Amino acid sequence: MKLEGIHHVTAITADAPRNVEFYAGLLGLRMVKKTVNQDDPTVYHLFYADERGDPGSDITFFEYPDARQGRTGAGIVHTVRWRVASEEALDFWERRLDNHMLARAPGRLEFADPEGLRHELAVVQTSDEPLTAEHPEILAEFALQGFDGVRAFSADPERSREFFEQTLGFQPQKDDTWEVRGERRGSTYEFDAPPEGIGIGGAGTVHHVAWASAIDEHDAWRDRVAAGGGHVTPIIDRYYFKSIYFREPSGVLFEIATIGPGFATDEPIEHLGERLSLPPAFEHLREQVEPLLTPLPNPRETAAAP
Ligand code: ZN
């Protein structure tokens, strides 16, 4: 039983329209689901991914319109790393990202979204399938290819080692880095020394990282996390996948989510993300919540704009 790398990464935005413009318009991801936060259905939960909404490419945002700016610190994922194919792809992104750029080095590039969430693009040799979306301004060979990994802050990475390696099956790599690899995909998880001051969740920070599990192994993962000492939630049916949540010993909020049933469960694959999707348990709220939600640009029109 192995985790198949990252399933999704969830962060917080205080500005959903600008978030759509950045992730669908500039980065060229596909909005694959526009739904509400199941814990607060008056605000969005937005999902961006590759063309099919595959786990391994899916970055999602809770919209909290009044959220203050967050601050990364111990126990928070501070950087999301994506794969690209080549140094030429990095050249393309360096030009396209323009004033969002932070740094460029051989094989990698760093940038931040408009709310300060940090990302890296890395040229990575892998046989994992590239998970790409289509965008009129981005050649397929330059497109983001899905997650390579995440970096988090921990004051004491050793505190997490036994849980990672014995319970979750993370494979130790160099320094404070682990590979999380299943039969089909892998990702890395890396710790860095935290900055001064405590981390505060808020706009521009990662809320949690989810690891991918086969549907028929999800119950067993819950048992294993509990046996390993994790304070794990019951299985929660998120409709597009099932989830459990727990904090790893360094304080980062982890989720294990099932690969499937997926985003085509309630709308055709050609029209993912175009209308507001409400899981059946929330459909009766549609007339109440739709007028409360922030108007959003059409992500594909944003993508096609000059
Ligand atoms: Zn999640």
Side-chain angles (χ1 to χ4, degrees):
M1 191 167 82
K2 291 175 178 170
L3 297 170
E4 298 280 334
I6 293 173
H7 185 288
H8 64 268
V9 176
T10 294
I12 297 168
T13 179
D15 188 343
R18 193 167 59 164
N19 188 262
V20 174
E21 284 166 10
F22 188 81
Y23 287 90
L26 192 69
L27 283 192
L29 300 173
R30 182 177 185 191
M31 182 184 280
V32 293
K33 193 62 62 181
K34 179 166 64 178
T35 185
V36 294
N37 185 336
Q38 294 186 12
D39 300 318
D40 178 1
T42 67
V43 292
Y44 286 118
H45 192 180
L46 303 175
F47 295 72
Y48 309 90
D50 69 347
E51 206 59 26
R52 299 172 307 195
D54 284 313
S57 64
D58 178 15
I59 187 162
T60 94
F61 288 85
F62 293 136
E63 177 205 23
Y64 293 117
D66 302 320
R68 63 183 173 176
Q69 187 70 31
R71 189 171 72 197
T72 55
I76 296 182
V77 169
H78 65 81
T79 299
V80 179
R81 188 169 57 240
W82 304 81
R83 294 173 183 159
V84 293
S86 64
E87 219 43 69
E88 291 70 36
L90 293 181
D91 294 340
F92 168 81
W93 284 106
E94 185 174 9
R95 289 191 301 275
R96 185 171 175 87
L97 287 163
D98 191 27
N99 61 346
H100 300 285
M101 280 290 298
L102 297 174
R104 170 80 193 265
R108 53 185 269 178
L109 169 165
E110 294 175 31
F111 64 98
D113 85 357
E115 295 176 282
L117 178 61
R118 294 172 80 104
H119 297 268
E120 290 179 5
L121 302 182
V123 180
V124 174
Q125 299 303 320
T126 178
S127 57
D128 291 359
E129 182 191 0
L131 304 176
T132 58
E134 294 166 12
H135 186 291
E137 298 165 1
I138 302 170
L139 294 174
E141 64 254 44
F142 295 159
L144 272 58
Q145 298 187 335
F147 297 123
D148 190 56
V150 291
R151 292 167 58 189
F153 285 128
S154 173
D156 182 10
E158 288 307 309
R159 196 162 56 179
S160 295
R161 183 175 296 280
E162 183 179 344
F163 183 73
F164 286 173
E165 296 174 14
Q166 303 304 320
T167 298
L168 297 182
F170 287 18
Q171 294 292 318
Q173 309 280 307
K174 62 172 174 66
D175 302 330
D176 300 317
T177 304
W178 290 264
E179 184 176 38
V180 186
R181 175 160 292 282
E183 304 299 328
R184 291 186 307 167
R185 284 194 84 70
S187 309
T188 60
Y189 186 78
E190 188 174 345
F191 278 134
D192 297 292
E196 294 283 322
I198 58 162
I200 302 170
T205 61
V206 170
H207 187 269
H208 63 267
V209 56
W211 305 98
S213 150
I215 290 179
D216 60 1
E217 293 175 347
H218 199 239
D219 288 348
W221 276 112
R222 187 180 183 283
D223 293 344
R224 190 186 282 194
V225 169
H231 296 285
V232 60
T233 65
I235 292 173
I236 300 172
D237 188 348
R238 296 301 190 191
Y239 190 61
Y240 307 110
F241 43 81
K242 290 184 177 171
S243 300
I244 56 173
Y245 303 84
F246 51 95
R247 285 193 190 275
E248 55 94 351
S250 289
V252 178
L253 184 58
F254 275 12
E255 172 182 351
I256 295 177
T258 55
I259 301 170
F263 297 119
T265 300
D266 61 352
E267 54 188 355
I269 191 98
E270 314 83 66
H271 295 292
L272 292 180
E274 292 175 8
R275 71 190 281 273
L276 180 68
S277 291
L278 294 174
F282 294 85
E283 187 58 52
H284 71 283
L285 296 172
R286 182 177 291 273
E287 284 187 18
Q288 277 169 268
V289 302
E290 265 194 316
L292 300 176
L293 292 167
T294 314
L296 289 184
N298 178 317
R300 288 261 133 145
E301 284 174 12
T302 298

